[in-house]
Amino acid sequence: MSRPQAGPDPSEDPKPDRTRTELRNYTEGERIGRVFGTYLLMHTHQTVEFVRAKSAQYGSCSRRRMSAMEALELLDQLVDESDPDVDFPNSFHAFQTAEGIRRAHPDKDWFHLVGLLHDLGKVLVLFGEPQWAVVGDTFPVGCKVQSSVVYADSTFHDNPDTKDPRYSTECGMYQPGCGLENVLMSWGHDEYMYQVMKFNNFALPKEVSSAWGGGLGTPGSKFDLYTKQEELPDVQQLRAYYQGLIDKYCPGQLCW
Ligand SMILES: [Fe+2]
Ligand SMILES: [Fe+2]
């Protein structure tokens, strides 16, 4: 029901430039105040009711029309305030992740594209949503807070669901063993992007959508984390390659 807090095994490819202890450190570091503040707001305001309302609001993908590349360019304006590891715009993170996957799996072009698109749902911030409703790790709503959730002990005290008898027991609104696919996660960029992909019929392999729930899913999450470096890719030089993949798998104007 909960996702592991630490990243995937760094002994696997890609070769990590930064170690597990350096990355995803939520207790110290220069960005820790900003990160904690984002999670405090998230864990205060993400309730069952909030998640259902946002899902209904954005599920029809009727907010805007733009291409995948235009959405990516919007992320030039976004620094993810829940990220303890980097301070640069999210568009660079997209290219870093995609290039990491491309190095390790040169033959799987759809996987390169998944790397590029995996955080595109963060355009919600550019639509006016606060960061706490978009970025960061998601968690199951509607039941007792799992101890594996980031800042589980120090950020949920003002969340009304924690005082609601329907949602505050061990299983809350779920039947025991109901399966992860029936668990309602906090609202954020992953769920939104999943809905955008479905709505626009992206021509990606089936396993992509089933893995989407946990960010990049198991095969991709290590690239999400271990490609985070201060050295930024030359985006201009990479653009033509990725435009080709967009044209192949999710061309033209998309509904957002
Ligand atoms: Fe993400
Ligand atoms: Fe990411």
Side-chain angles (χ1 to χ4, degrees):
M1 199 134 119
S2 55
R3 292 169 54 200
Q5 245 194 74
D9 184 353
S11 63
E12 298 174 56
D13 60 322
K15 287 261 174 303
D17 294 290
R18 299 161 81 180
T19 65
R20 180 194 287 261
T21 43
E22 268 180 82
L23 291 161
R24 285 183 66 84
N25 184 335
Y26 289 96
T27 51
E28 56 193 6
E30 53 188 312
R31 307 177 185 99
I32 211 65
R34 181 184 80 185
V35 172
F36 181 81
T38 305
Y39 276 101
L40 180 61
L41 288 168
M42 182 202 292
H43 294 168
T44 301
H45 300 296
Q46 292 261 5
T47 60
V48 171
E49 195 186 353
F50 177 83
V51 174
R52 287 186 177 144
K54 284 296 156 191
S55 186
Q57 182 184 349
Y58 287 105
S60 59
C61 298
S62 52
R63 172 85 199 202
R64 188 160 166 176
R65 290 178 73 89
M66 62 181 162
S67 69
M69 196 56 93
E70 284 170 319
L72 190 64
E73 280 163 13
L74 282 182
L75 295 189
D76 287 346
Q77 301 166 51
L78 177 77
V79 174
D80 183 330
E81 295 177 356
S82 72
D83 193 331
D85 301 316
V86 299
D87 247 337
F88 47 74
N90 227 248
S91 46
F92 288 108
H93 167 60
F95 281 102
Q96 285 180 332
T97 307
E99 285 290 288
I101 293 171
R102 190 177 168 192
R103 278 191 296 275
H105 301 277
D107 50 328
K108 290 188 185 155
D109 68 348
W110 59 268
F111 199 7
H112 314 163
L113 183 65
V114 167
L116 191 77
L117 304 182
H118 80 280
D119 274 343
L120 223 49
K122 292 180 187 173
V123 293
L124 284 173
V125 174
L126 289 313
F127 295 170
E129 293 292 334
Q131 291 232 357
W132 59 260
V134 178
V135 301
D137 287 6
T138 56
F139 63 95
V141 296
C143 60
K144 189 168 170 247
V145 177
Q146 313 291 296
S147 58
S148 55
V149 173
V150 179
Y151 302 128
D153 296 333
S154 50
T155 49
F156 280 93
H157 44 274
D158 285 333
N159 185 309
D161 281 2
T162 62
K163 283 142 207 142
D164 190 318
R166 290 172 298 170
Y167 305 139
S168 50
T169 60
E170 197 64 38
C171 280
M173 63 182 192
Y174 308 105
Q175 294 301 318
C178 67
L180 196 59
E181 67 281 7
N182 293 309
V183 171
L184 189 64
M185 301 299 286
S186 57
W187 175 255
H189 65 285
D190 287 333
E191 179 58 32
Y192 173 59
M193 194 58 203
Y194 176 64
Q195 296 195 10
V196 169
M197 282 172 32
K198 264 200 328 202
F199 190 93
N200 292 283
N201 285 315
F202 283 24
L204 292 167
K206 273 207 175 55
E207 61 258 41
V208 173
S209 26
S210 47
W212 202 263
L216 254 183
T218 325
S221 53
K222 63 185 177 215
F223 297 99
D224 178 46
L225 190 59
Y226 293 113
T227 55
K228 286 179 177 174
Q229 310 157 21
E230 297 296 335
E231 202 178 302
L232 299 178
D234 183 347
V235 169
Q236 263 340 94
Q237 199 206 313
L238 298 172
R239 200 174 293 260
Y241 173 71
Y242 287 98
Q243 184 61 56
L245 298 187
I246 288 170
D247 293 342
K248 182 172 171 186
Y249 293 106
C250 53
Q253 294 288 299
L254 307 173
C255 300
W256 295 84

